[in-house]
Amino acid sequence: MAPNLDSFGRDRALYQEHAKRRIAEREARREEPLISAREQTGKMADHLEGLSSDDEETSTDITNFNLEKDRISKESSKVFEDVLESFYSIDCIKSQFEAWRSKYYLSYKDAYIGLCLPKLFNPLIRLQLLTWTPLEAKCRDFENMLWFESLLFYGCEEREQEKDDVDVALLPTIVEKVILPKLTVIAENMWDPFSTTQTSRMVGITLKLINGYPSVVNAENKNTQVYLKALLLRMRRTLDDDVFMPLYPKNVLENKNSGPYLFFQRQFWSSVKLLGNFLQWYGIFSNKTLQELSIDGLLNRYILMAFQNSEYGDDSIKKAQNVINCFPKQWFMNLKGERTISQLENFCRYLVHLADTIYRNSIGCSDVEKRNARENIKQIVKLLASVRALDHAMSVASDHNVKEFKSLIEGK
């Protein structure tokens, strides 16, 4: 029989089996040291598998990485060991050109030195940035590095500066030609979109460049486009290769200590974590791009499927609340009418179905259980209102005789 191929030409059955095996191997490698660490810090009770902090590398992995990094740093120190300082020291080279600029400015200008300097300093700066990565907690701000401080005031002399003086753009050009390509490689090969810490740091350095260097870090700049494209491709690759939501019969998940239940919960919460990480990029990528990735690609494709296997009650409401907490509030501020954004329609329908199911399950139960069910339904009305799905919120309130509708949607 011909294999069942997906849109990328992969055999679906083999791919899913490979994904399951890879996830299982990854969990087995890190589970034991993680549990031990959490037991020592007393965080076991509140911990949700899949929403763990990002210190999930084993001590062996960290040690090996640091050893290799130290080896590379030591080797890099030998690059210019047979070169005179005046030919590799940024300060020495800079002083020569400053003297030329100061004494013979017209000659300096006619030689287009200002256009050559970024290319001249490029390999020297790249060497200093060899082990620099904003993904690390102790990463040094590149603006505090020696090369940046050395070139910061290049060309700032007592003479009145000309309007077309290209030396003014020396550091922005270096950011464009050195920093952005470095970040592009990091985005492609190092950044893990599942890591909240790494994502926060990538977003932070990107916003720093956008706000600090708007002349080169903008939508029209080619290197900026390449960098943003690398980020998007990395996120799409994560969706296609690393997200997996197991499907189990509900009776298999009844035992909350069983392997399938724990694996299912971990996969759900890791997907919610990824959703939040994707939406950290709000304000950098367009709403259309972010909604395509986070809602169409992740929520509707994977997370909603998991909701169908979740318990109808406190567990589902807690999960829905965590999903909604990921959404930027700005998405819902200027919506007109009573409908939310179209991509969330399936999620809102699920919440309506959840309210109906909770009500049906409470029929014939004790008064306490009925009160709990009613509180859950009120909570669902609030969740729908929080994403401006007022049509669905009013429908649930009307169907289940929720009289506090106005105070619920106003968050009182």
Side-chain angles (χ1 to χ4, degrees):
M1 293 176 62
N4 181 14
L5 303 180
D6 63 14
S7 57
F8 293 95
R10 300 175 298 206
D11 187 309
R12 292 182 191 274
L14 289 176
Y15 170 67
Q16 289 179 359
E17 186 62 34
H18 170 70
K20 279 194 266 187
R21 187 167 62 249
R22 186 167 59 177
I23 290 169
E25 290 171 352
R26 186 176 65 203
E27 299 312 315
R29 282 197 304 271
R30 67 185 178 187
E31 193 64 29
E32 186 173 342
L34 279 177
I35 291 174
S36 175
R38 291 188 195 115
E39 286 173 344
Q40 292 173 14
T41 55
K43 294 180 179 179
M44 288 296 292
D46 299 327
H47 179 71
L48 288 170
E49 282 297 327
L51 280 184
S52 55
S53 58
D54 296 313
D55 52 351
E56 295 192 343
E57 287 182 296
T58 64
S59 57
T60 304
D61 290 336
I62 294 172
T63 301
N64 290 338
F65 174 81
N66 288 333
L67 286 173
E68 184 67 7
K69 181 180 175 181
D70 291 342
R71 185 191 66 79
I72 292 171
S73 296
K74 191 176 293 184
E75 290 293 318
S76 70
S77 65
K78 302 175 184 178
V79 170
F80 291 115
E81 63 180 3
D82 59 346
V83 180
L84 293 174
E85 184 181 14
S86 57
F87 288 94
Y88 74 81
S89 166
I90 291 179
D91 283 333
C92 291
I93 295 171
K94 180 197 71 167
S95 63
Q96 294 290 330
F97 284 102
E98 278 182 326
W100 184 358
R101 175 188 165 95
S102 177
K103 295 177 182 178
Y104 310 104
Y105 181 71
L106 290 179
S107 166
Y108 175 93
K109 182 179 177 182
D110 291 342
Y112 297 100
I113 298 302
L115 298 177
C116 300
L117 287 179
K119 293 182 180 179
L120 179 63
F121 290 129
N122 184 310
L124 306 176
I125 294 170
R126 284 170 57 197
L127 183 63
Q128 291 192 30
L129 290 170
L130 190 62
T131 58
W132 175 83
T133 166
L135 300 181
E136 294 182 355
K138 297 180 180 179
C139 172
R140 188 177 178 185
D141 187 340
F142 71 87
E143 290 184 347
N144 293 329
M145 298 180 80
L146 293 177
W147 65 267
F148 191 95
E149 293 177 353
S150 177
L151 300 176
L152 183 58
F153 296 107
Y154 181 83
C156 297
E157 303 156 349
E158 294 181 1
R159 67 161 63 236
E160 187 176 344
Q161 218 155 25
E162 298 182 8
K163 290 183 179 179
D164 60 346
D165 189 350
V166 294
D167 286 335
V168 174
L170 176 59
L171 281 175
T173 303
I174 289 172
V175 167
E176 177 193 8
K177 303 294 184 183
V178 180
I179 301 294
L180 281 176
K182 173 87 174 177
L183 288 175
T184 300
V185 174
I186 290 172
E188 290 173 339
N189 301 294
M190 295 179 64
W191 171 47
D192 177 11
F194 271 105
S195 168
T196 301
T197 304
Q198 288 189 11
T199 301
S200 297
R201 290 170 183 160
M202 286 296 281
V203 170
I205 187 68
T206 304
L207 288 173
K208 177 185 177 70
L209 296 182
I210 290 172
N211 295 326
Y213 304 88
S215 61
V216 294
V217 185
N218 54 62
E220 287 74 38
N221 182 273
K222 183 179 178 181
N223 283 356
T224 303
Q225 292 172 359
V226 171
Y227 170 53
L228 294 178
K229 184 178 179 181
L231 290 168
L232 282 176
L233 288 176
R234 182 67 187 92
M235 287 190 271
R236 289 196 172 108
R237 193 165 82 237
T238 298
L239 274 179
D240 293 331
D241 295 348
D242 297 327
V243 180
F244 174 73
M245 195 63 66
L247 290 177
Y248 297 114
K250 285 196 174 182
N251 62 313
V252 174
L253 299 176
E254 289 177 357
N255 181 0
K256 295 186 178 181
N257 293 318
S258 67
Y261 177 86
L262 296 175
F263 180 64
F264 172 78
Q265 292 294 330
R266 178 173 184 86
Q267 292 307 107
F268 175 85
W269 287 113
S270 65
S271 296
V272 173
K273 181 181 180 183
L274 183 63
L275 178 71
N277 291 349
F278 280 178
L279 292 174
Q280 284 194 53
W281 294 98
Y282 174 79
I284 297 175
F285 293 111
S286 68
N287 284 339
K288 180 181 178 182
T289 299
L290 278 183
Q291 288 168 6
E292 175 195 336
L293 276 170
S294 60
I295 301 180
D296 295 334
L298 187 55
L299 176 61
N300 293 339
R301 184 177 169 188
Y302 293 105
I303 297 176
L304 269 182
M305 183 170 61
F307 269 118
Q308 306 301 325
N309 275 9
S310 298
E311 294 179 25
Y312 292 115
D314 294 338
D315 182 58
S316 292
I317 292 174
K318 177 184 177 182
K319 289 176 176 177
Q321 181 68 70
N322 277 270
V323 168
I324 290 173
N325 289 343
C326 296
F327 299 144
K329 290 181 172 58
Q330 294 88 337
W331 280 0
F332 313 109
M333 283 183 176
N334 299 316
L335 290 179
K336 297 178 180 179
E338 299 173 346
R339 300 177 68 86
T340 187
I341 56 178
S342 58
Q343 290 93 332
L344 285 177
E345 188 63 27
N346 288 337
F347 179 61
C348 292
R349 287 176 183 168
Y350 164 75
L351 291 177
V352 173
H353 170 71
L354 177 61
D356 293 339
T357 305
I358 289 173
Y359 173 75
R360 286 196 303 270
N361 291 345
S362 70
I363 296 174
C365 294
S366 66
D367 290 342
V368 173
E369 290 173 318
K370 286 181 178 180
R371 280 197 298 271
N372 288 339
R374 187 161 184 79
E375 288 303 314
N376 283 338
I377 291 172
K378 289 180 183 179
Q379 188 64 27
I380 290 171
V381 172
K382 290 179 69 173
L383 292 178
L384 289 167
S386 68
V387 295
R388 296 295 297 174
L390 299 180
D391 52 341
H392 291 296
M394 286 188 289
S395 172
V396 172
S398 174
D399 291 345
H400 302 289
N401 196 27
V402 178
K403 297 178 180 179
E404 308 94 329
F405 176 72
K406 187 175 181 180
S407 62
L408 286 174
I409 66 172
E410 290 176 353
K412 296 179 181 178

